[in-house]
Amino acid sequence: MSEDSSSALLTDHYELTMLQGALHSGAAERRSVFEMFARRLPEGRRYGVVAGTGRFLDLLERFRFGSAELDFLSDHGVVDEHTLDWLARFRFSGDIWGYGEGEAYFPGSPILVVEATFAEAVILETLALSVFNHDSAIASAASRMAVAAGDRPLIEMGSRRTQERAAVAAARAAYVAGFSTSSNLEAGRTHGVPTGGTAAHAFTLLHDSEQHAFKAQLESMGTGTTLLVDTFDVERAVRHAVEIAGTDLGAVRIDSGDLAAHAGRVRTQLDELGATNTRVVVTGDLDEHSIQALAVAPVDGYGVGTSLVTGSGAPTVSLVYKLVARARGLDPHTPLEPVAKRSVGKPSRGGRKWALRRLDDRGTAVAEEVYDHEPTPEVGTRPMLQPLVRGGEIVGQENVHAARDRHRAAVDELPEQALRMSRGDVALPTLFH
Amino acid sequence: MSEDSSSALLTDHYELTMLQGALHSGAAERRSVFEMFARRLPEGRRYGVVAGTGRFLDLLERFRFGSAELDFLSDHGVVDEHTLDWLARFRFSGDIWGYGEGEAYFPGSPILVVEATFAEAVILETLALSVFNHDSAIASAASRMAVAAGDRPLIEMGSRRTQERAAVAAARAAYVAGFSTSSNLEAGRTHGVPTGGTAAHAFTLLHDSEQHAFKAQLESMGTGTTLLVDTFDVERAVRHAVEIAGTDLGAVRIDSGDLAAHAGRVRTQLDELGATNTRVVVTGDLDEHSIQALAVAPVDGYGVGTSLVTGSGAPTVSLVYKLVARARGLDPHTPLEPVAKRSVGKPSRGGRKWALRRLDDRGTAVAEEVYDHEPTPEVGTRPMLQPLVRGGEIVGQENVHAARDRHRAAVDELPEQALRMSRGDVALPTLFH
């Protein structure tokens, strides 16, 4: 994906028809606040993880209606001439605040707050939701896997089980949430995620024998490589691996069968062969629960694919982007008035919000506090919203490593019950003031 | 996404290290056959739908290692100099056959067959799986929704609940599988999917009253537009809608609450107001089951979001890409020998395959027949594999409308039990010969 390609058509048709209607009525220029939040966490999760901020800011920079985009909209009669003129001139000039990427969030946490004219804020809805719903779903699942894995490294290898560009975003989100490496090369290039990978069964099957394959891999990649030992017979493969590589072999990988049993036998066999430093890596339909179950097995690393890129049962986290306040007039000093839909089943809370995380005196988070006014900072609280865009200028861009560090700190701060794998209550109450 | 950007790094690291190992051993040039297939269908589904072919062929054309890609691989030491030279010269020169896009498939159907050197075929693995696993998951879910909806149109509106580029692919796959329109503008531009959309609750909340909002929308978009009637009170909104628009109002949309009950009341109210041609469109957490349940309600169209883009419980369809045969020598006339892994739990069937669909004399499909040799065509069978790439040249590209037509014909051919929404047995047996 070229760096300068426009992101503007990654947008629902109705955002632009709403824009057209609002330009017609004159309300398009009303100062408005949209907020992104989740009404609930999926799958009985105890916390969610904000991810996608860095990608959203990149895409916001490329949210421009150039001639290619305008021609499409014009040729297909999506909007009228007046709206096309507005889009041609569009540059986001408002303000955006958000939870830092990698932060934990809870139901009602205002993880993104966009203040701009209605016109400027409404057309960002689809792109913002696409990015945060996907990336936060992956990061929320990945974070639990990282908790389950403890100090053992996690390898992201799910590219083949999700759309090819979603795979790049998933690799990035997993890294933010604690994975060590990814198989995805584009995630390496675009986002600086460390990549790794050695060989599949096809490599063994291609050669005349498993020994031939091992020999080729070791000669070409060095003794530190990881040999895949379950193509035919694991015990024989491990014996051959150490015969050919010597006791400095980096690692062996097991991809099928009863991973705990295999890992135990392979560890014993490696130790008996003197390969006491050779690591045992397991892969194959792992998720946070099977990783946790393998905690007692002699495993040195986990490769996770499908369950990671599909959010382990929650491929989206149902974030919504709602108009919560707008000025009734066009004067920039007209006060913002709270607005909220009143239909059944989907409660919304009107009005602009601010959030603090409250900590006890040991530094453990105890509550998510959400205010309808800017609260005075006090000891034992941490303000959650930070400036991302000021007057149209992006001020909150950071690299993926900073988000990863923030995530680790955010998880360390959570109460112990947040880290349980079972379904349960949300770890922190959200208190509205 | 620029049309000419390279797709080559949308690839797992290990594909390139396998390439390096095989270049080292000399086996890289062995003629090989890889096949893509599913071992099972997810969620008790009765058929799957092949989708992604057109996108895969586009991406294959852009699978080139240019200086940007090679620099990344070199700077990060992913592969050695010899492998970089090979990648710089790489152009796929092999043959690919596949099931036509939109076809139904079953466990074991060889939906893609790639014959080339090992080197050329192995490096396509990740990209091929990403595209087909995602697009086929969406199309498989979409097809069931289309069956449930019958003649009523389906609107795809899930962009916000999946990664922003996956959203474009999902809109395309849904259209192939029978959806009428999508909200996604980029899917309109890139793939020619018809787009549509009118307004959200924010548009109503922005204005001083619901009537103001309706008036603005109607003046700007014409009487044929769809008014969203559940922001405050549905009955009052419908009354206002017809007062302002007149009885030629195109449609009203209900997005929350008990959709069947609302639809019934709204239909009665519209009819009483004389708006007998005004359609009732429902949206809000629909899936194939709730669509089927609404069959008896007076509904004229369904908008589907989350469940569509997440594959309605199966966001991936677990397609695999396996080496099934390879020549032992380098001479192009060396016969291909079947190969297969022998580990627990994941059976593979070695050897190149061909497939026919067998039909009874009423034209109803009765079996998927998979051969280990090219079968002689006979009356009552339909060959499933068609040439997609011949000697590196793409010969099977077609537009999305052709795939959509093929899908309709493929579903019409299936036995009645294939169209049930309940979990059950696969609709056709796969017979191996």
Side-chain angles (χ1 to χ4, degrees):
Chain A
M1 185 163 42
S2 117
E3 286 303 308
D4 55 358
S5 66
S6 170
S7 61
L9 294 189
L10 298 169
T11 296
D12 284 338
H13 189 119
Y14 84 172
E15 315 290 4
L16 300 194
T17 42
M18 280 194 276
L19 169 64
Q20 175 177 317
L23 287 171
H24 177 85
S25 73
E29 298 300 318
R30 288 181 170 194
R31 196 155 60 98
S32 298
V33 177
F34 282 79
E35 285 177 356
M36 185 184 289
F37 59 94
R39 294 192 176 96
R40 54 186 174 75
L41 301 183
E43 303 279 311
R45 301 267 177 85
R46 293 149 188 272
Y47 65 99
V49 178
V50 175
T53 317
R55 292 208 314 112
F56 173 67
L57 295 176
D58 277 344
L59 288 160
L60 178 62
E61 224 166 354
R62 299 193 273 121
F63 199 93
R64 298 271 190 278
F65 293 84
S67 57
E69 291 72 37
L70 295 168
D71 286 352
F72 167 77
L73 297 174
S74 171
D75 293 350
H76 290 75
V78 174
V79 287
D80 61 19
E81 283 298 319
H82 180 51
T83 308
L84 290 172
D85 288 345
W86 189 94
L87 291 172
R89 286 191 312 273
F90 169 72
R91 298 287 181 274
F92 183 75
S93 68
D95 299 316
I96 304 180
W97 298 262
Y99 276 38
E101 184 160 19
E103 283 286 5
Y105 74 86
F106 303 92
S109 296
I111 69 171
L112 199 75
V113 177
V114 178
E115 180 169 345
T117 63
F118 176 82
E120 291 193 12
V122 75
I123 63 173
L124 301 183
E125 175 179 31
T126 310
L127 184 64
L129 286 174
S130 292
V131 170
F132 283 96
N133 264 321
H134 175 268
D135 292 14
S136 301
I138 306 303
S140 297
S143 177
R144 286 161 51 84
M145 295 171 189
V147 167
D151 292 335
R152 297 174 177 178
L154 287 164
I155 304 156
E156 189 283 306
M157 42 187 279
S159 296
R160 62 190 55 198
R161 296 295 173 87
T162 187
Q163 197 262 7
E164 72 279 4
R165 294 281 169 190
V168 183
R172 179 186 178 282
Y175 185 67
V176 166
F179 275 55
S180 297
T181 55
S182 167
S183 65
N184 191 287
L185 291 168
E186 190 65 58
R189 173 166 70 167
T190 306
H191 301 298
V193 175
T195 70
T198 49
H201 297 106
F203 187 77
T204 300
L205 295 171
L206 167 70
H207 288 87
D208 293 342
S209 70
E210 197 172 47
Q211 288 108 306
H212 268 119
F214 285 177
K215 194 156 175 292
Q217 186 178 332
L218 287 159
E219 285 177 5
S220 169
M221 280 171 254
T223 312
T225 194
T226 300
L227 294 176
L228 178 59
V229 292
D230 70 340
T231 305
F232 304 114
D233 176 84
V234 173
E235 193 188 339
R236 205 180 52 180
V238 170
R239 195 170 63 242
H240 288 153
V242 179
E243 270 169 25
I244 301 167
T247 54
D248 288 339
L249 174 64
V252 296
R253 175 161 81 98
I254 311 164
D255 182 52
S256 49
D258 179 336
L259 296 175
H262 270 315
R265 283 198 295 270
V266 167
R267 180 73 271 155
T268 303
Q269 191 186 358
L270 286 169
D271 289 347
E272 284 170 4
L273 294 167
T276 51
N277 292 320
T278 300
R279 286 167 292 115
V280 177
V281 175
V282 297
T283 58
D285 292 332
L286 292 174
D287 65 11
E288 63 270 44
H289 304 289
S290 49
I291 291 168
Q292 190 176 46
L294 285 163
V296 293
V299 167
D300 302 291
Y302 306 96
V304 188
T306 306
S307 69
L308 185 274
V309 298
T310 59
S312 198
T316 176
V317 284
S318 307
L319 294 168
V320 295
Y321 180 90
K322 294 293 174 190
L323 179 69
V324 295
R326 54 102 180 92
R328 206 174 262 270
L330 297 184
D331 183 314
H333 301 292
T334 315
L336 290 167
E337 294 175 19
V339 293
K341 180 176 155 212
R342 285 200 304 269
S343 65
V344 192
K346 293 179 178 175
S348 287
R349 206 174 281 269
R352 163 81 185 274
K353 291 166 209 73
W354 287 260
L356 298 175
R357 187 152 299 162
R358 186 168 295 277
L359 310 169
D360 66 16
D361 44 19
R362 282 166 305 189
T364 301
V366 293
E368 187 82 337
E369 314 228 7
V370 178
Y371 294 82
D372 62 3
H373 58 277
E374 191 161 5
T376 318
E378 42 174 310
V379 175
T381 66
R382 193 157 72 73
M384 299 305 291
L385 287 168
Q386 26 183 283
L388 300 176
V389 178
R390 233 189 240 126
E393 193 198 340
I394 291 169
V395 296
Q397 190 53 283
E398 60 183 14
N399 68 35
V400 78
H401 310 290
R404 191 169 199 262
D405 292 344
R406 180 183 296 109
H407 177 66
R408 193 176 300 135
V411 169
D412 285 348
E413 189 184 83
L414 292 178
E416 205 190 343
Q417 69 267 26
L419 309 183
R420 294 190 193 143
M421 293 299 124
S422 58
R423 287 167 182 254
D425 292 334
V426 168
L428 298 191
T430 305
L431 310 174
F432 291 93
H433 302 279
Chain B
M1 186 163 44
S2 125
E3 286 303 308
D4 55 358
S5 66
S6 170
S7 61
L9 293 189
L10 299 169
T11 296
D12 284 338
H13 189 119
Y14 85 171
E15 315 290 5
L16 301 193
T17 43
M18 281 194 275
L19 168 66
Q20 175 176 316
L23 287 171
H24 177 84
S25 72
E29 298 302 317
R30 289 182 170 193
R31 195 155 60 98
S32 299
V33 177
F34 282 80
E35 286 176 356
M36 185 185 287
F37 58 94
R39 294 193 176 95
R40 55 186 173 74
L41 301 183
E43 304 278 310
R45 301 267 175 86
R46 292 148 189 274
Y47 65 100
V49 178
V50 175
T53 317
R55 293 209 311 114
F56 174 67
L57 295 176
D58 278 344
L59 288 160
L60 178 62
E61 226 167 352
R62 299 193 273 121
F63 199 92
R64 297 271 189 280
F65 293 85
S67 57
E69 289 73 36
L70 295 168
D71 285 351
F72 168 76
L73 297 174
S74 171
D75 293 350
H76 290 75
V78 174
V79 288
D80 61 19
E81 282 299 318
H82 180 50
T83 308
L84 289 172
D85 289 347
W86 189 95
L87 292 171
R89 287 192 312 272
F90 168 73
R91 298 287 181 274
F92 184 75
S93 69
D95 300 316
I96 304 181
W97 298 263
Y99 277 38
E101 184 160 18
E103 282 287 5
Y105 75 86
F106 303 92
S109 296
I111 71 171
L112 199 74
V113 178
V114 178
E115 180 170 345
T117 63
F118 176 82
E120 291 194 11
V122 75
I123 62 174
L124 301 182
E125 175 178 31
T126 311
L127 184 64
L129 286 173
S130 292
V131 170
F132 283 96
N133 264 322
H134 174 267
D135 291 15
S136 301
I138 306 303
S140 296
S143 177
R144 285 161 52 83
M145 294 171 188
V147 167
D151 292 335
R152 296 174 177 177
L154 286 165
I155 305 155
E156 188 283 306
M157 41 188 277
S159 297
R160 62 191 55 200
R161 295 295 173 88
T162 186
Q163 196 262 7
E164 70 279 4
R165 293 280 169 189
V168 182
R172 178 186 179 283
Y175 185 68
V176 167
F179 274 56
S180 298
T181 54
S182 167
S183 65
N184 191 288
L185 291 168
E186 191 64 58
R189 173 165 70 166
T190 306
H191 301 299
V193 175
T195 70
T198 48
H201 298 107
F203 187 77
T204 300
L205 294 172
L206 167 70
H207 288 88
D208 295 342
S209 71
E210 197 173 48
Q211 287 109 305
H212 268 118
F214 285 177
K215 194 156 177 290
Q217 187 179 330
L218 287 160
E219 285 177 4
S220 170
M221 281 171 252
T223 313
T225 194
T226 300
L227 294 176
L228 177 60
V229 292
D230 70 340
T231 305
F232 303 113
D233 176 86
V234 173
E235 192 188 340
R236 204 179 53 180
V238 170
R239 194 169 65 241
H240 288 153
V242 178
E243 270 170 23
I244 301 167
T247 54
D248 288 338
L249 174 63
V252 296
R253 175 161 80 96
I254 311 164
D255 182 52
S256 50
D258 178 336
L259 296 175
H262 270 315
R265 284 196 295 268
V266 166
R267 179 75 272 155
T268 303
Q269 190 187 358
L270 286 170
D271 289 348
E272 284 171 3
L273 293 167
T276 53
N277 292 321
T278 300
R279 287 167 291 114
V280 177
V281 175
V282 296
T283 58
D285 291 332
L286 292 173
D287 65 11
E288 62 271 43
H289 303 289
S290 49
I291 291 169
Q292 190 176 46
L294 284 164
V296 294
V299 167
D300 301 290
Y302 305 96
V304 187
T306 306
S307 69
L308 185 277
V309 298
T310 59
S312 198
T316 176
V317 285
S318 307
L319 294 168
V320 295
Y321 181 89
K322 293 293 173 191
L323 179 69
V324 295
R326 56 104 180 90
R328 207 174 264 268
L330 296 182
D331 183 314
H333 301 293
T334 314
L336 290 166
E337 294 173 19
V339 293
K341 180 176 154 210
R342 286 199 305 268
S343 65
V344 192
K346 292 179 177 174
S348 286
R349 206 175 280 269
R352 163 79 185 273
K353 291 165 207 77
W354 287 259
L356 299 175
R357 187 151 299 163
R358 185 167 297 277
L359 311 169
D360 66 15
D361 45 18
R362 281 166 305 189
T364 301
V366 293
E368 187 82 336
E369 313 228 8
V370 178
Y371 294 82
D372 62 2
H373 58 278
E374 192 160 4
T376 319
E378 43 174 308
V379 175
T381 66
R382 192 157 73 74
M384 299 304 291
L385 287 168
Q386 22 183 287
L388 299 177
V389 179
R390 235 189 239 126
E393 193 198 340
I394 291 169
V395 297
Q397 191 52 286
E398 60 183 14
N399 67 35
V400 77
H401 310 292
R404 191 169 198 263
D405 292 343
R406 180 183 297 109
H407 178 67
R408 194 176 299 136
V411 169
D412 286 348
E413 192 183 81
L414 291 178
E416 205 191 343
Q417 69 268 28
L419 310 183
R420 293 190 194 143
M421 293 300 125
S422 58
R423 285 166 182 253
D425 292 334
V426 168
L428 298 191
T430 305
L431 309 175
F432 291 93
H433 302 280

